[in-house]
Amino acid sequence: MAYGKSLSAGAVLLLAALGAASAQQGSFSLELNDAQDLNGSCRLIYVALNSTGKRVEKASYDVFTFDETGKVAQSLVFQFGAFPADKTKVVQFDLAGRECAKISRLLINDATECSVDGQASSLCIEALKTTTRTSIQFGM
């Protein structure tokens, strides 16, 4: 019986340690905050928060737009630039010739560029968390 209890206690400690390590990594949050029609374009406004504890020197994402019927409409690369650690940043992109109402979804397909500490990194996609405050679906 004592062996089973110590194994369970060990498992609990291991899970707690794994949870703490995961929490230390933090997240790279992108929120699609607004979508506004402006001069024949759809302006997408993002609020980003880098809570990974690391300075992201460059972040770019391969993004697909879907039309109002759910079909893939366009492939784009959004270059978000640098994100200091623990800082919120607002970034906007204008999609020329597109009405916001005709965009049903934005899909982040992959990170095309991610540089952390002068090295290529997978942090920008692995730590990515997406949300939206618009009627446009947004995620991975």
Side-chain angles (χ1 to χ4, degrees):
M1 261 325 175
Y3 178 73
K5 285 184 182 177
S6 86
L7 182 59
S8 295
V12 168
L13 288 174
L14 177 62
L15 289 173
L18 289 173
S22 175
Q24 285 177 345
Q25 180 183 355
S27 65
F28 190 78
S29 302
L30 285 180
E31 174 190 85
L32 178 57
N33 184 269
D34 201 4
Q36 306 169 348
D37 287 311
L38 185 68
N39 299 325
S41 297
C42 178
R43 175 167 286 171
L44 302 172
I45 301 170
Y46 291 91
V47 176
L49 172 61
N50 175 9
S51 60
T52 63
K54 299 180 184 223
R55 183 181 193 285
V56 175
E57 293 150 357
K58 281 187 183 177
S60 298
Y61 291 97
D62 178 28
V63 177
F64 282 87
T65 66
F66 290 73
D67 68 16
E68 66 274 20
T69 68
K71 290 184 180 178
V72 173
Q74 191 174 16
S75 173
L76 307 160
V77 174
F78 288 167
Q79 297 178 347
F80 284 88
F83 290 95
D86 302 318
K87 172 136 178 31
T88 301
K89 180 178 177 180
V90 175
V91 182
Q92 57 190 30
F93 300 97
D94 291 345
L95 303 183
R98 300 293 308 267
E99 291 178 38
C100 296
K102 294 190 177 189
I103 300 171
S104 64
R105 181 178 176 198
L106 293 166
L107 171 73
I108 294 182
N109 200 48
D110 203 358
T112 57
E113 187 173 26
C114 182
S115 178
V116 177
D117 297 328
Q119 303 277 328
S121 174
S122 59
L123 178 75
C124 297
I125 200 74
E126 289 177 358
L128 185 63
K129 305 287 183 223
T130 59
T131 57
T132 184
R133 290 181 181 260
T134 73
S135 61
I136 298 171
Q137 294 177 32
F138 175 58
M140 298 186 292

